[in-house]
Amino acid sequence: MIFHIIAFAAGFILDLIFGDPVYPFHPVRLIGKLISLAEKIFYHKGDSPAKKRFFGILTVFFVCAVTEAIVLSVLISFFYINKIAFCMVEALFTWQILAAKSLKDESMKVYRALEEGTLDDARHAVSMIVGRDTENLTDEGVTKAAVETVAESTNDGVIAPMIFCALGGPVLGFFYKCINTMDSMIGYKNDRYIDFGRAAARTDDFVNFLPSRLAALLMMVACFFGGKDFSFKNAIHIFRRDRLNHQSPNSAQTESVVAGALGLQLAGPLYYEGKLEEKPYIGDFVRAPEHKDIKRSVFLMYTAAILCQIICIGILFFC
């Protein structure tokens, strides 16, 4: 257990210092290629909706099974070679599962573009982290998009994978990344994926159900460490009212906390591939968004991550 705790903490520290490493054989990038391969094997345009759903289930099992087999093989091999080497490999894997610093870096690129560059620069920067159309976003629209991304990704990129790594090391950590990556690639409600991607989307909803709510709770607590810029009381109010204002049962959990804590109105109607999608608002319009709200959302994300790390290590140490 002590080796797991050391590796778990070391992976988090490596992420805080260096961010998610970028190289061709990054495990999550390889998982993405595996998902693309599975889609080529299992997706057939002419299949009936029932067949597409069946092959979508097979895709989830195939991607998870292959990934878990490889991760287990690597970890078991190093465990029998040397426990210190095993600990190092677990730390390196954990590092590549978490994405706190990368989330901060990408959102701060948007902040700097808003502060120092042109609106087009800011639109381009935010287009790297959101799926919505960005070419016509206003200054406030760009700011809101960055804040929403940090809020939602606090769970997907930080808290949920951290919890899974704490519970089962990289084995469960990469299981989570498989599900989350599949959802981001094939979990859409469009003509191609409405049936084929249903299993991936539903599984992602399931594995994120508890972590997203814990992430929201941690972000509420984080308000206490931020001073007058954050409203703990309003974060609770908006969370209780708007936490389900999203197609996903999980996405608005953290977003509602951030909206309430900062006094912003987030979400609402958005354009995707030129089509307007009517979405409910999250939060009340207490004030207009300002560039520093991006920094404030990052503060909530980082504080929640540190709190989650402390809690996980405490539980692992005393259990």
Side-chain angles (χ1 to χ4, degrees), residues 125-182:
V126 83
S127 72
M128 298 294 102
I129 58 174
V130 300
R132 72 194 64 176
D133 296 346
T134 61
E135 59 269 18
N136 295 315
L137 287 180
T138 62
D139 185 290
E140 289 186 4
V142 171
T143 302
K144 282 177 55 177
V147 170
E148 289 167 16
T149 298
V150 174
E152 186 174 344
S153 299
T154 295
N155 177 64
D156 295 353
V158 186
I159 302 300
M162 188 184 297
I163 291 171
F164 276 85
C165 284
L167 291 173
V171 176
L172 279 186
F174 277 119
F175 169 78
Y176 175 80
K177 295 304 289 188
C178 280
I179 300 301
N180 192 240
T181 306
M182 273 189 281

Side-chain angles (χ1 to χ4, degrees), residues 228-246:
K228 63 182 181 180
D229 286 338
F230 305 92
S231 172
F232 173 73
K233 183 178 179 180
N234 200 46
I236 294 177
H237 168 64
I238 298 300
F239 170 76
R240 293 178 64 183
R241 193 191 72 188
D242 294 349
R243 67 186 184 277
L244 297 179
N245 282 7
H246 200 282

Side-chain angles (χ1 to χ4, degrees), residues 41-268:
I41 295 172
F42 295 115
Y43 179 82
H44 309 105
K45 188 175 182 180
D47 283 346
S48 67
K51 270 192 174 183
K52 287 179 180 177
R53 289 194 291 271
F54 173 74
F55 283 117
I57 294 171
L58 282 185
T59 298
V60 172
F61 276 101
F62 173 78
V63 172
C64 289
V66 172
T67 302
E68 294 298 272
I70 294 172
V71 172
L72 273 170
S73 298
V74 172
L75 289 173
I76 290 172
S77 298
F78 277 94
F79 180 81
Y80 284 108
I81 293 172
N82 185 282
K83 288 187 177 180
I84 294 177
F86 168 80
C87 184
M88 293 174 64
V89 171
E90 182 178 347
L92 291 173
F93 275 166
T94 303
W95 170 28
Q96 295 172 89
I97 291 169
L98 304 176
K101 186 174 187 296
S102 295
L103 179 56
K104 172 217 162 192
D105 289 345
E106 292 304 312
S107 60
M108 289 305 295
K109 287 178 183 177
V110 180
Y111 172 79
R112 286 192 293 272
L114 288 167
E115 287 285 294
E116 303 167 8
T118 65
L119 181 55
D120 283 338
D121 293 333
R123 287 168 175 164
H124 174 73
V126 83
S127 72
M128 298 294 102
I129 58 174
V130 300
R132 72 194 64 176
D133 296 346
T134 61
E135 59 269 18
N136 295 315
L137 287 180
T138 62
D139 185 290
E140 289 186 4
V142 171
T143 302
K144 282 177 55 177
V147 170
E148 289 167 16
T149 298
V150 174
E152 186 174 344
S153 299
T154 295
N155 177 64
D156 295 353
V158 186
I159 302 300
M162 188 184 297
I163 291 171
F164 276 85
C165 284
L167 291 173
V171 176
L172 279 186
F174 277 119
F175 169 78
Y176 175 80
K177 295 304 289 188
C178 280
I179 300 301
N180 192 240
T181 306
M182 273 189 281
D183 180 60
S184 68
M185 291 179 66
I186 65 174
Y188 297 103
K189 292 184 178 181
N190 55 26
D191 291 341
R192 181 178 178 87
Y193 295 124
I194 184 67
D195 294 302
F196 182 73
R198 181 175 298 185
R202 293 284 176 85
T203 307
D204 185 75
D205 287 344
F206 176 76
V207 300
N208 277 300
F209 188 84
L210 290 178
S212 65
R213 285 149 180 81
L214 177 58
L217 177 61
L218 291 170
M219 295 186 92
M220 288 181 207
V221 176
C223 292
F224 283 114
F225 299 92
K228 63 182 181 180
D229 286 338
F230 305 92
S231 172
F232 173 73
K233 183 178 179 180
N234 200 46
I236 294 177
H237 168 64
I238 298 300
F239 170 76
R240 293 178 64 183
R241 193 191 72 188
D242 294 349
R243 67 186 184 277
L244 297 179
N245 282 7
H246 200 282
Q247 289 182 341
S248 163
N250 306 316
S251 295
Q253 301 291 323
T254 48
E255 201 169 329
S256 61
V257 173
V258 173
L262 299 180
L264 301 178
Q265 188 174 66
L266 303 177

Side-chain angles (χ1 to χ4, degrees), residues 14-53:
L14 285 169
D15 177 60
L16 290 183
I17 296 173
F18 300 108
D20 200 21
V22 179
Y23 63 104
F25 300 104
H26 189 293
V28 178
R29 181 174 293 189
L30 295 179
I31 289 172
K33 291 183 177 181
L34 181 62
I35 294 167
S36 296
L37 174 63
E39 184 177 350
K40 289 179 181 178
I41 295 172
F42 295 115
Y43 179 82
H44 309 105
K45 188 175 182 180
D47 283 346
S48 67
K51 270 192 174 183
K52 287 179 180 177
R53 289 194 291 271

